[in-house]
Amino acid sequence: MANSSETAQTATEYVQHHLGFLTFGQRADGTWGFAHSVEEAGAMGFWAINVDSMMISLLLGVLFLGLFRFCIKRATTGKPGGLQNFLEIIVEMVQTNVKNSFYAKNDLIGPLALTIFCWIFLMNTMDLIPVDWIPLLAQTVAGDPHLYFKAVPTTDLNITLGFAVSVFFLIIFYSIKIKGLGGFLGEFAFHPFGKWALPLNLLLELPGFLAKPVSLALRLYGNFFAGEVIFLVIALVGVWQLPLHFGWAVFHILVVTLQAYLFMMLTIVYLNQAHTHH
Amino acid sequence: MNLNATIIGQSIAFFVFVWFCMKYVWPPITAILEERQKKIADGLEAAERAQRDLNLAQNKAAEELREAKKQGAELIELANKRANQIIDEAKDKAREEGQRLIAGAKAEIDMELQRAKEALRSQVAAIAVAGAEKILESSIDQAANEELVKKLASEL
């Protein structure tokens, strides 16, 4: 696929191009617009946005909620149809996990876990689509054969960090809400060695706490970035890519589900910790 | 890898979607699940109740059948008794009637006998008178003879 249209492109260029984002931000000359290279995108600094990741992410989020709403509209308490049955299995799975890992009472956790699982699952699933299809579609639509377009939002650290930061915010919010500001900060200051070892306590507790969002984001991002790179390399080997791609994709079905599930479970567990006193 | 405002965009989108899910997706679907659970539980309970009722009804039917059989047997026994009674009564009646008939016949026979005796007696008296008249050949005193003949006739 790589050398179908751009024969001059080297393998490195191909991979690098596929790893670039469609970034919208302020360019070096002061005008706002899309970056034309990875370097330019980097130079835009923080106030830029990856339009491709964001767009696919929103589309998949809407797809998830739309599917559920569509199903609820025609839902029945009698014998459920195929789609309803499928969605109910997911909801029941989420419900069971929440029930087993979350002991406090909070109506947010169920929908939160469901949203995380389904949305991340859909994003991850995007990497099963052959790596060139969606970029090619975007390039055709935009009329620009060099357009950067990344189809798998979870290969964007910004997206996974968006999830993780939001969850982190909820952890802090509920910690303070349940235990009070003093109780929340006290957990860092006075555990595990009592108040006389305060610096040591901080040294032990704070990194663990701050590692939660970082590990959440990096685990998901790392898995899918690596998976994406392997898919790209496979796409370079000519006709042999077909069985290779198939094999890697089958393996990735597992990763897709597992990582979505893991993110959901860790969120539930972290929020349960936020609701309980040590 | 550049960190940029996509984090903020994704976070906002995340909270909006979670809010939507919490408001419009989670409650109805869990309500449906709960309602179905309740329905199934009710259905199972109803089935159990029906089974219990069925057993009860079967027991009752068996009981009634037994009762009916007993009653039937009693009735047959009663009928047999009554039939025997009727037969006995009829026999008695027939015997009585026969005896009555026999008695009637006997009385009639007696009467006939009496009447025959009477007739015979008068005839014998006449014959005796005539015989005596012939024997005596003489006309004896009618009145004295009369006394004699009557005496003779009563002795017969």
Side-chain angles (χ1 to χ4, degrees):
Chain A
M1 284 190 195
N3 36 22
S4 58
S5 60
E6 294 143 75
T7 40
Q9 198 179 42
T10 66
T12 320
E13 277 168 357
Y14 171 78
V15 172
Q16 271 178 351
H17 189 269
H18 269 274
L19 292 179
F21 291 100
L22 180 63
T23 311
F24 184 89
Q26 194 172 23
R27 285 186 285 240
D29 56 9
T31 58
W32 289 80
F34 291 108
H36 292 297
S37 69
V38 177
E39 291 74 32
E40 196 183 356
M44 283 174 172
F46 185 78
W47 291 109
I49 192 156
N50 294 340
V51 177
D52 44 1
S53 305
M54 227 28 251
M55 200 168 84
I56 303 269
S57 159
L58 288 176
L59 270 177
L60 293 174
V62 169
L63 175 71
F64 148 61
L65 292 173
L67 202 67
F68 270 86
R69 281 304 299 172
F70 170 78
C71 183
I72 284 167
K73 284 238 172 71
R74 53 183 59 201
T76 161
T77 57
K79 188 168 157 286
L83 178 66
Q84 194 190 341
N85 209 356
F86 175 67
L87 296 187
E88 277 179 7
I89 287 169
I90 297 173
V91 171
E92 274 183 338
M93 184 276 286
V94 172
Q95 250 181 338
T96 312
N97 281 312
V98 170
K99 209 175 286 167
N100 290 340
S101 314
F102 190 82
Y103 306 118
K105 170 105 187 69
N106 191 337
D107 289 338
L108 174 77
I109 306 301
L112 177 78
L114 180 70
T115 310
I116 288 179
F117 178 74
C118 293
W119 200 5
I120 293 183
F121 178 82
L122 286 174
M123 287 186 188
N124 292 350
T125 312
M126 295 299 287
D127 86 344
L128 299 178
I129 300 170
V131 286
D132 279 312
W133 286 11
I134 293 172
L136 203 66
L137 181 73
Q139 284 158 5
T140 315
V141 170
D144 176 7
H146 291 287
L147 188 78
Y148 289 96
F149 200 92
K150 207 148 181 201
V152 191
T154 39
T155 58
D156 184 351
L157 185 58
N158 292 301
I159 295 289
T160 61
L161 261 176
F163 277 113
V165 165
S166 307
V167 170
F168 190 58
F169 171 78
L170 286 175
I171 293 172
I172 294 172
F173 176 79
Y174 280 112
S175 290
I176 293 173
K177 195 182 162 197
I178 303 291
K179 304 166 190 168
L181 188 61
F184 173 55
L185 294 177
E187 280 185 356
F188 300 114
F190 307 130
H191 289 275
F193 294 126
K195 57 182 174 178
W196 299 113
L198 193 142
L200 185 61
N201 290 339
L202 285 180
L203 204 68
L204 284 169
E205 291 285 327
L206 267 182
F209 183 68
L210 294 175
K212 283 175 182 175
V214 177
S215 68
L216 271 182
L218 286 180
R219 180 182 303 111
L220 186 59
Y221 163 72
N223 267 286
F224 283 88
F225 183 79
E228 180 84 345
V229 171
I230 303 282
F231 273 124
L232 289 171
V233 171
I234 287 172
L236 286 167
V237 298
V239 78
W240 285 106
Q241 69 178 283
L242 294 175
L244 281 172
H245 182 278
F246 178 77
W248 186 237
V250 167
F251 171 66
H252 247 241
I253 291 173
L254 179 73
V255 179
V256 160
T257 319
L258 188 72
Q259 288 302 324
Y261 178 77
L262 215 60
F263 204 108
M264 177 193 79
M265 275 316 293
L266 286 171
T267 304
I268 296 172
V269 169
Y270 289 161
L271 280 168
N272 182 52
Q273 286 173 358
H275 280 74
T276 47
H277 298 267
H278 288 246
Chain B
M1 173 51 54
N2 326 303
L3 293 182
N4 59 28
T6 312
I7 297 177
I8 297 172
Q10 174 64 22
S11 297
I12 293 168
F14 178 75
F15 280 113
V16 170
F17 284 5
V18 169
W19 170 81
F20 186 90
C21 181
M22 193 169 138
K23 192 109 180 151
Y24 299 108
V25 171
W26 188 261
I29 212 154
T30 48
I32 287 166
L33 288 176
E34 260 166 40
E35 207 177 318
R36 170 147 350 100
Q37 267 174 359
K38 204 174 148 294
K39 253 187 186 175
I40 291 171
D42 287 353
L44 287 175
E45 201 184 314
E48 214 168 277
R49 209 167 40 232
Q51 185 64 44
R52 242 189 346 256
D53 286 355
L54 181 66
N55 286 344
L56 228 65
Q58 274 174 344
N59 287 349
K60 205 171 166 198
E63 185 72 29
E64 302 243 301
L65 195 64
R66 208 156 41 234
E67 192 71 22
K69 269 184 182 162
K70 217 169 92 186
Q71 269 181 9
E74 269 169 19
L75 276 177
I76 289 170
E77 205 179 318
L78 212 67
N80 278 340
K81 228 185 250 171
R82 180 95 187 97
N84 286 339
Q85 208 179 336
I86 288 169
I87 289 168
D88 285 352
E89 268 171 22
K91 271 181 184 167
D92 286 355
K93 232 185 217 168
R95 199 175 294 129
E96 243 166 58
E97 183 72 21
Q99 261 157 12
R100 203 172 53 80
L101 281 176
I102 292 167
K106 265 184 181 164
E108 208 159 307
I109 291 165
D110 278 355
M111 226 154 66
E112 279 303 304
L113 194 66
Q114 214 63 42
R115 206 178 293 143
K117 271 181 180 173
E118 202 70 32
L120 201 62
R121 198 179 286 137
S122 61
Q123 276 178 10
V124 167
I127 292 167
V129 171
E133 267 178 3
K134 272 187 181 150
I135 294 164
L136 291 178
E137 290 272 313
S138 60
S139 115
I140 48 176
D141 186 11
Q142 199 80 38
N145 288 349
E146 192 90 351
E147 202 69 28
L148 194 72
V149 170
K150 260 189 191 161
K151 214 173 167 188
L152 201 70
S154 69
E155 276 167 18
L156 286 169

